[in-house]
Amino acid sequence: MAMIPARAALAALREGNRRFVGKLGLESESGLEAGAARARRRELPTGQEPLAIVLGCSDARVPAEIVFDQGLGDLFVIRVAGNIVAPSQIGSVEFAAAAFGTRLVVVLGHSNCGAVHATLEQLARPSRDQSRNLRSIVDRIRPAVEGLLEHAAPPGDRQALEQQAVRANIRMSANHLRHGSELLEQLIENDGLLVVGAEYSLETGVVDFFDGVPP
């Protein structure tokens, strides 16, 4: 796959934003959907009421707004490699839940997650060459997956191991949000906040909500 030079990528983003602004601003544009989009954009500078908070992976193949077919202002999205939970992610979730009254948090992982793969590789063949910052991501995923190396997947079945590791990491992140913040714990207990874990399939496009979902 050819690498896109930085200047070309920047030009593509600028051109894309020009198209976006042009579509929203065309008064002659017809159709209810276009008119609704323009009206929605005009509302947003005064505030937002996102229907869900999504803590997702930074992977370019999993943009939450597209995956869930949502528009401007509909989702409060936090993205980080491996959908890990660190203080900044917890603070972002707390902010959205408190400031906007959003009562659904989705931890969205995905199949073939590179951060989970890197963690399994590091556990199997430790390397000292990994940067300190990359290692901090691996170290947050490690507790979710290290037990799987011995006890979960069938021996030698690498694909099954990675599938189980992706879900184990999602569960751990969701549990961290449920129990790693006094504010979120109170909102869960008293105000109907729900934290669920979900996996997006790169192969099918389907999101499977499998953790913390009410019956």
Side-chain angles (χ1 to χ4, degrees):
M1 186 178 297
M3 189 75 70
I4 300 174
R7 290 178 182 272
L10 179 57
L13 293 183
R14 282 176 166 158
E15 179 57 31
N17 181 244
R18 281 193 288 268
R19 291 194 304 270
F20 171 76
V21 172
K23 289 176 183 177
L24 291 176
L26 282 175
E27 294 300 328
S28 60
E29 192 171 5
S30 61
L32 293 176
E33 185 175 344
R38 288 197 301 274
R40 179 66 172 148
R41 180 186 57 81
R42 294 188 184 108
E43 292 172 355
L44 291 174
T46 61
Q48 56 178 305
E49 296 178 348
L51 62 91
I53 303 162
V54 180
L55 172 59
C57 183
S58 298
D59 193 298
R61 300 166 293 180
V62 196
E65 291 89 346
I66 295 176
V67 166
F68 292 120
D69 192 24
Q70 299 299 313
L72 294 171
D74 292 336
L75 299 177
F76 187 93
V77 181
I78 307 149
R79 296 183 70 178
V80 60
N83 43 272
I84 61 171
V85 174
S88 58
Q89 281 82 55
I90 296 176
S92 296
V93 174
E94 289 178 339
F95 169 74
F100 310 131
T102 308
R103 287 297 173 263
L104 175 63
V105 181
V106 180
V107 176
L108 181 64
H110 64 93
S111 60
N112 301 319
C113 179
V116 171
H117 176 79
T119 302
L120 292 172
E121 287 292 304
Q122 183 67 13
L123 288 171
R125 289 179 289 277
S127 169
R128 295 180 179 273
D129 296 333
Q130 202 171 54
S131 80
R132 179 183 64 184
N133 299 307
L134 288 173
R135 191 164 60 247
S136 70
I137 295 174
V138 167
D139 287 344
R140 289 191 178 276
I141 297 174
R142 181 192 304 266
V145 305
E146 55 190 353
L148 298 175
L149 293 173
E150 296 180 3
H151 305 297
D157 191 339
R158 184 71 182 187
Q159 183 177 4
L161 174 63
E162 296 214 4
Q163 289 172 345
Q164 293 172 13
V166 163
R167 294 215 163 194
N169 183 50
I170 293 167
R171 288 191 185 95
M172 184 179 70
S173 292
N175 277 326
H176 196 159
L177 290 177
R178 294 181 191 117
H179 305 294
S181 159
E182 183 177 346
L183 173 60
L184 296 181
E185 286 183 3
Q186 291 176 352
L187 291 175
I188 290 169
E189 183 69 24
N190 301 318
D191 291 292
L193 182 71
L194 180 65
V195 180
V196 301
E199 180 185 0
Y200 171 74
S201 169
L202 294 176
E203 296 75 20
T204 68
V206 173
V207 174
D208 180 17
F209 294 89
F210 69 90
D211 181 67
V213 181

